[in-house]
């Protein structure tokens, strides 16, 4: 598969949740553009199969564990001699309303995978990207990180957390040449919705390749802290956030960009 415009020869990447769905499509897209890719996934057999397919490295493990994420970054950097791109893609759905009769174990699990793994992954990756002279971190969020999704409050909570984290981390790390972004796809035909796919009959769904293409666009021209929406039939692009009104008549405090006057 040729990837026009995206040249990653000489680059090394790590993709979490990389053995299926959006992650697998992204692994193939990065490898086709010339990158060597580490496939991190709890499904060891699938991770090894895809790594063998693209000539990469399989890293099985639980991404919600901080030691696992640190080890994944260290092993990938040691194996490839560098690390330039980190795609923090692993994610799960809520499986409950999150409004009553809370299943605490399931709640801890979704927060661990969808939020903790992004924080652990970014903090582990930053030193490696510094050693490489800069690079890219892309976290997979969701449209549920930009708007509320009735029926899955916990998933919405976790994806809003990812969006907020990226928007804050992006400007902070940009001066070091580390570009942090989020990709926020709508409903995609991936294993994440396999159990409820019948509910989407007649509804346009993204493919995993659509989202991988958006990730490629982010790597080409994404700006620090941008969160890119992806919807069927639309060109992906950065979501335009509206600023929060500041105190009436007051001057803007230094280094605070989120206020309007």
């Amino acid at each position: 598969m040729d990837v026009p415009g995206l040249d990653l020869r000489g680059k090394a990447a790590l993709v979490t949740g990389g053995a299926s769905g959006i992650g697998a499509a992204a692994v193939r897209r990065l490898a086709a553009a010339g990158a060597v890719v580490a496939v991190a996934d709890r499904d060891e057999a699938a991770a090894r199969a895809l790594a063998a397919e693209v000539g990469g490295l399989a890293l099985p493990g639980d991404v919600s564990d901080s030691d696992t994420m640190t080890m994944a970054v260290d092993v990938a950097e040691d194996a490839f001699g560098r690390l330039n791109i980190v795609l923090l893609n692993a994610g799960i759905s809520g499986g409950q309303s999150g409004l009553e009769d809370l299943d605490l174990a399931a709640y801890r699990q979704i927060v661990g995978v969808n939020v903790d793994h992004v924080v652990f992954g970014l903090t582990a990756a930053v030193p490696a990207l510094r050693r490489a002279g800069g690079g890219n971190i892309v976290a997979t969020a969701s449209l549920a990180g930009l708007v509320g999704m009735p029926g899955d409050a916990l998933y919405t909570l976790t994806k809003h957390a990812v969006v907020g984290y990226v928007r804050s981390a992006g400007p902070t790390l940009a001066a070091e040449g580390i570009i942090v972004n989020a990709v926020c796809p709508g409903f995609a035909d991936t294993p994440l919705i396999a159990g409820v796919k019948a509910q989407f009959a007649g509804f346009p769904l993204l493919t995993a390749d659509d989202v991988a293409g958006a990730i490629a666009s982010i790597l080409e021209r994404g700006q620090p802290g941008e969160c890119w929406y992806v919807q069927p039939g639309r060109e992906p692009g950065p979501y335009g956030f509206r600023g929060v009104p500041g105190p009436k008549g007051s001057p803007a405090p230094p280094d605070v960009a989120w206020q309007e006057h």
Side-chain angles (χ1 to χ4, degrees):
M1 177 176 63
D2 187 29
V3 186
L6 184 64
D7 185 359
L8 299 179
R9 288 173 293 182
K11 304 293 186 181
L14 167 65
V15 180
T16 66
S20 66
I22 293 167
V27 167
R28 293 187 176 101
R29 181 69 64 112
L30 296 174
V36 288
V37 188
V39 183
D41 202 286
R42 63 182 178 179
D43 186 337
E44 181 173 356
R48 292 192 183 282
L50 183 55
E53 175 190 326
V54 301
L57 173 70
L59 297 173
D62 176 7
V63 298
S64 67
D65 177 73
S66 61
D67 290 339
T68 296
M69 289 307 305
T70 299
M71 183 175 64
V73 168
D74 290 346
V75 171
E77 186 184 22
D78 287 345
F80 300 146
R82 63 205 178 281
L83 193 59
N84 311 98
I85 299 165
V86 177
L87 174 55
L88 301 170
N89 168 74
I92 59 175
S93 59
Q96 58 177 316
S97 73
L99 305 180
E100 57 183 343
D101 299 326
L102 184 69
D103 181 332
L104 185 56
Y107 168 68
R108 295 296 183 199
Q109 183 180 38
I110 189 173
V111 171
V113 175
N114 290 7
V115 180
D116 293 349
H117 132 257
V118 173
V119 176
F120 298 154
L122 185 144
T123 56
V126 164
L129 296 186
R130 283 178 179 146
R131 287 188 287 271
N136 295 81
I137 299 172
V138 181
T140 300
S142 166
L143 286 188
L146 304 176
V147 297
M149 188 170 77
D152 205 337
L154 295 184
Y155 184 79
T156 300
L157 177 153
T158 62
K159 295 305 183 178
H160 269 67
V162 171
V163 165
Y165 187 58
V166 163
R167 294 184 69 199
S168 180
T172 304
L173 293 170
E176 299 184 71
I178 299 173
I179 309 302
V180 183
N181 298 109
V183 61
C184 301
F187 292 111
D189 189 1
T190 70
L192 196 66
I193 68 163
V196 294
K197 189 175 177 180
Q199 299 177 19
F200 293 92
F203 185 87
L205 295 174
L206 294 163
T207 67
D209 284 335
D210 290 333
V211 184
I215 291 168
S217 296
I218 290 171
L219 293 176
E220 286 187 281
R221 59 181 188 274
Q223 298 300 305
E226 287 181 342
C227 300
W228 284 44
Y229 61 85
V230 192
Q231 284 280 58
R234 294 184 179 274
E235 184 70 20
Y239 182 73
F241 291 93
R242 183 177 179 180
V244 177
K248 187 174 181 179
S250 66
D255 300 323
V256 177
W258 44 261
Q259 291 190 333
E260 286 185 345
H261 298 276

